Amino acid sequence: MALLEIKGLKKNFGDLKVLKDVNMKIEEGEVLVLIGPSGSGKSTFLRSLIDLETVDGGSIAIAGESLCKDGVYVSKKEKAKALSKAGMVFQHFNLFPHMSIRKNLMCAPLLNKQGTKEEISKLAESTLAKVGLLDKIDAMPSTLSGGQKQRVAIARALMRNPEIILFDEPTSALDPEMVGEVLEVMKDLAKGHMTMVVVTHEMGFAREVGTRVIFMEKGSIIEENEPNEFFENPKSSRLKEFLNKVL
């Protein structure tokens, strides 16, 4: 059973078809990298997987739990079960500025009654240690760099103990010198066999860490392959043109 299975996914914004019959299977431990020009539907695709966008057709199943079938969403309870399997890291960190890093990490687990306050606090400490920021646990977000804030955002996603994490251009809002520290955390997650779907413009990361790379344009998958073949022997003229511009 695929960890993430998408069949015939469609999404329209008025007359604009943003996703056109997208089909995809992602196995446990895969790092799937999505690349493509702006407006190709990559971010909308990710947002659809965690119910931030309502699809107009198709099916989504996360770790065997259906989110929607043939464009019809499951019950609220079933939806929550599916969504509990996935975490997401956005382009912008969205940390609560008035809360310490510890409280930012504890907020959702406390709300969802995932344990006692003491247990969740301990979990926050161990999770923040995974991204190399345990010494910042009682700091305020305003004292952190952009790279540190994004590492906290990754820790926040890990607090859910997800089976898959979605990354929507996690380094695009960072100064160039801060990109590396975030990519290193993502590489460590990949080494630990975390299943990931990553929308990024970082071609070096796609080549080094991805198990599969997909090129999207105008809401459709144009080409996919393992990284070496994808970058060295692109099949479609459109992918060749795109890679010539970005590499």
Side-chain angles (χ1 to χ4, degrees), residues 78-91:
E78 290 174 302
K79 188 186 285 189
K81 194 172 182 182
L83 294 174
S84 71
K85 309 287 185 180
M88 186 154 177
V89 177
F90 298 89
Q91 180 177 347

Side-chain angles (χ1 to χ4, degrees), residues 1-5 26-28 62-65:
M1 181 186 68
L3 190 56
L4 182 62
E5 188 164 4
I26 300 162
E27 304 296 334
E28 186 176 352
I62 308 171
E65 302 291 343

Side-chain angles (χ1 to χ4, degrees), residues 100-101 147 154 172 195:
S100 68
I101 301 306
I154 293 173
S172 62
T195 309

Side-chain angles (χ1 to χ4, degrees), residues 8-228:
L9 206 62
K10 299 178 179 69
K11 173 64 182 177
N12 305 322
F13 290 123
D15 294 331
L16 181 63
K17 295 181 178 180
V18 182
L19 297 175
K20 305 172 185 174
D21 197 32
V22 175
N23 297 279
M24 197 181 296
K25 281 187 180 181
I26 300 162
E27 304 296 334
E28 186 176 352
E30 270 201 283
V31 178
L32 184 74
V33 181
L34 291 172
I35 69 170
S38 296
S40 58
K42 306 181 302 295
S43 292
T44 300
F45 173 71
L46 282 195
R47 290 171 64 85
S48 297
L49 301 184
I50 57 166
D51 200 33
L52 291 179
E53 296 286 358
T54 303
V55 300
D56 296 300
S59 303
I60 301 169
I62 308 171
E65 302 291 343
S66 287
L67 181 63
C68 63
K69 300 176 185 177
D70 299 322
V72 179
Y73 282 87
V74 296
S75 69
K76 189 175 180 180
K77 185 177 180 180
E78 290 174 302
K79 188 186 285 189
K81 194 172 182 182
L83 294 174
S84 71
K85 309 287 185 180
M88 186 154 177
V89 177
F90 298 89
Q91 180 177 347
H92 298 286
F93 333 114
N94 300 327
L95 300 178
F96 294 114
H98 61 290
M99 291 183 180
S100 68
I101 301 306
R102 185 190 301 270
K103 288 181 179 178
N104 263 279
L105 294 189
M106 291 177 63
C107 187
L110 282 173
L111 197 63
N112 295 320
K113 299 177 181 177
Q114 290 176 221
T116 66
K117 188 174 181 180
E118 291 74 19
E119 289 169 340
I120 294 171
S121 182
K122 289 289 185 186
L123 178 62
E125 291 174 4
S126 61
T127 305
L128 204 58
K130 290 178 183 177
V131 300
L133 288 173
L134 180 57
D135 61 321
K136 302 292 186 182
I137 193 159
D138 291 313
M140 298 301 287
S142 60
T143 67
L144 272 56
S145 68
Q148 289 172 330
K149 289 176 185 176
Q150 192 61 294
R151 285 153 65 192
V152 171
I154 293 173
R156 181 176 56 191
L158 289 170
M159 288 285 289
R160 296 168 60 90
N161 192 28
E163 296 193 36
I164 185 168
I165 300 184
L166 314 176
F167 292 85
D168 189 8
E169 299 190 20
T171 60
S172 62
L174 301 178
D175 291 335
E177 62 187 19
M178 296 176 184
V179 169
E181 65 187 76
V182 174
L183 293 181
E184 282 303 315
V185 170
M186 294 170 68
K187 289 175 187 178
D188 286 343
L189 291 176
K191 288 174 187 173
H193 307 292
M194 172 60 74
T195 309
M196 299 190 281
V197 182
V198 184
V199 170
T200 186
H201 296 294
E202 301 291 337
M203 298 301 151
F205 176 88
R207 190 191 288 263
E208 180 185 350
V209 184
T211 55
R212 202 159 30 114
V213 186
I214 286 179
F215 176 64
M216 285 185 73
E217 186 174 49
K218 296 179 180 178
S220 298
I221 293 174
I222 305 299
E223 190 166 336
E224 67 176 284
N225 217 325
E226 58 84 22
N228 190 59

